[in-house]
Amino acid sequence: MDLTQLEVFATVAAEGSVTAAAEKLHRVPSNISTRIRQLEDELGTLLFHREKLRLHISDQGKTFLSYALRILALAEEAKQSVSGQRPMGIFTLGSIESTAAVRIPPVLARYHQAYPSVELDLSTGPSGDMIEGMLSGRFSAAFVDGPPRHPELDGVAVFDEEMVLIAALNHPPIQRAQDISGATIYAFRANCAYRRLFENWFAEDQAVPGKIYEMESYHGILACVTAGAGLALIPASMLENMPGKTGVHAYPLANEMGKLQIWLMWRKGQTSANLQAMVDLLAEKEASARV
């Protein structure tokens, strides 16, 4: 197999059809189909299930995709490391929701102004998804709460963050987890680090939450808390930028348990010109903030 085959395979997996992949790669559909069949013959397995005009990646294809993405990323890194190129091409970034909404928009704007040849591709989701995306090669880097806890990840701290407990205005004051043991809470999915922090806060005070409702957005969470339907833990920076912030009381967690840092992380040994430019830009921002 060669890099072209891997690029074709990864594009078809992302687009879900030969026609869409052909348009993106500026090739004819028959060429794309031939490349995929040749790769499947070489590997001795089906990478896709065919269904009319759509292709659905198989379990074997999903496994192979993680390796293909890593190989393509490593090849691009090797090319940039010896060519002395300026940052260019696609730079796939991941970010947890709150950081994407509040912290990084001005950073991405400055990056685009400085490096217009780079195509920024940003995806958001829970921290667990971001970690998995970096390890599989889907993201070149991601903004996640840190420090890194996986041996294959590296990174730098870039933002200070504080999590606050929010409750409706008519809710009695909250000083500790036992004050709200058994209460309904709103949170993201189980692979969200902020949810784990919330659950650990209860456990350390020998308390337990009641029903946990999984939500998809901070705005939805705030609306439920404002209505008195339950409580939630959200980043203070996110709350400060939400229109409904005056509809709730915010309480810090005792013993500074809610204070943490957001890191820009990446796989060890897989830095690139695009990534280094982002690290340098964030370092300049931090230095300017201290002046």
Side-chain angles (χ1 to χ4, degrees):
M1 72 188 73
D2 55 33
L3 291 179
T4 300
Q5 283 179 307
L6 296 182
E7 182 184 18
V8 167
F9 165 65
T11 305
V12 172
E15 300 296 327
S17 80
V18 168
T19 302
E23 291 178 359
K24 188 165 187 177
L25 295 174
H26 306 292
R27 293 171 177 265
V28 296
S30 59
N31 178 267
I32 299 296
S33 297
T34 298
R35 288 280 188 173
I36 292 298
R37 283 197 299 270
Q38 289 174 342
L39 183 58
E40 289 179 325
D41 289 343
E42 184 174 348
L43 295 173
T45 188
L46 286 178
L47 299 174
F48 296 97
H49 298 300
R50 278 74 172 172
E51 182 181 337
K52 295 183 180 179
L53 298 178
R54 298 292 298 176
L55 294 179
H56 302 284
I57 192 166
S58 65
D59 290 341
Q60 296 92 331
K62 291 176 182 178
T63 299
F64 186 68
L65 179 60
S66 66
Y67 287 98
L69 291 172
R70 286 158 61 182
I71 291 170
L72 289 169
L74 189 59
E76 179 62 24
E77 178 189 339
K79 177 181 175 182
Q80 291 188 11
S81 69
V82 298
S83 65
Q85 291 179 341
R86 281 174 55 82
M88 61 184 300
I90 297 177
F91 185 27
T92 53
L93 277 173
S95 176
I96 53 177
E97 297 282 352
S98 56
T99 300
V102 178
R103 301 287 194 179
I104 64 175
V107 173
L108 299 184
R110 287 197 301 273
Y111 189 96
H112 178 68
Q113 291 172 355
Y115 307 105
S117 296
V118 176
E119 180 183 343
L120 287 167
D121 183 355
L122 178 66
S123 299
T124 62
S127 51
D129 289 354
M130 298 299 101
I131 298 296
E132 180 182 338
M134 284 184 286
L135 294 175
S136 69
R138 188 158 51 97
F139 301 136
S140 300
F143 291 93
V144 190
D145 57 291
R149 297 175 181 84
H150 194 284
E152 293 186 32
L153 294 179
D154 201 353
V156 291
V158 291
F159 304 115
D160 291 324
E161 189 59 90
E162 181 176 10
M163 304 299 294
V164 293
L165 177 68
I166 58 172
L169 294 177
N170 61 355
H171 194 284
I174 302 170
Q175 296 183 341
R176 54 187 294 185
Q178 286 192 2
D179 293 339
I180 56 171
S181 187
T184 296
I185 67 172
Y186 293 89
F188 286 105
R189 298 194 301 272
N191 62 347
C192 172
Y194 293 165
R195 173 170 169 172
R196 292 196 296 271
L197 173 63
F198 204 6
E199 293 172 339
N200 290 340
W201 178 70
F202 275 97
E204 288 199 4
D205 200 26
Q206 298 182 336
V208 292
K211 176 71 176 179
I212 301 177
Y213 287 97
E214 295 186 353
M215 305 289 286
E216 294 297 326
S217 74
Y218 283 112
H219 290 86
I221 288 175
L222 182 62
C224 292
V225 174
T226 301
L231 305 104
L233 191 71
I234 74 172
S237 62
M238 187 72 192
L239 178 63
E240 184 62 29
N241 284 272
M242 298 177 75
K245 64 181 179 181
T246 58
V248 296
H249 278 309
Y251 301 92
L253 301 187
N255 301 319
E256 298 190 339
M257 189 173 177
K259 293 189 175 181
L260 48 84
Q261 288 183 312
I262 303 300
W263 283 54
L264 177 64
M265 299 186 196
W266 57 87
R267 279 184 72 102
K268 286 184 178 178
Q270 293 194 6
T271 54
S272 65
N274 291 345
L275 174 57
Q276 188 59 53
M278 177 63 76
V279 171
D280 293 343
L281 188 150
L282 288 164
E284 291 172 6
K285 175 183 176 297
E286 184 178 356
S288 299
R290 290 197 298 262
V291 175

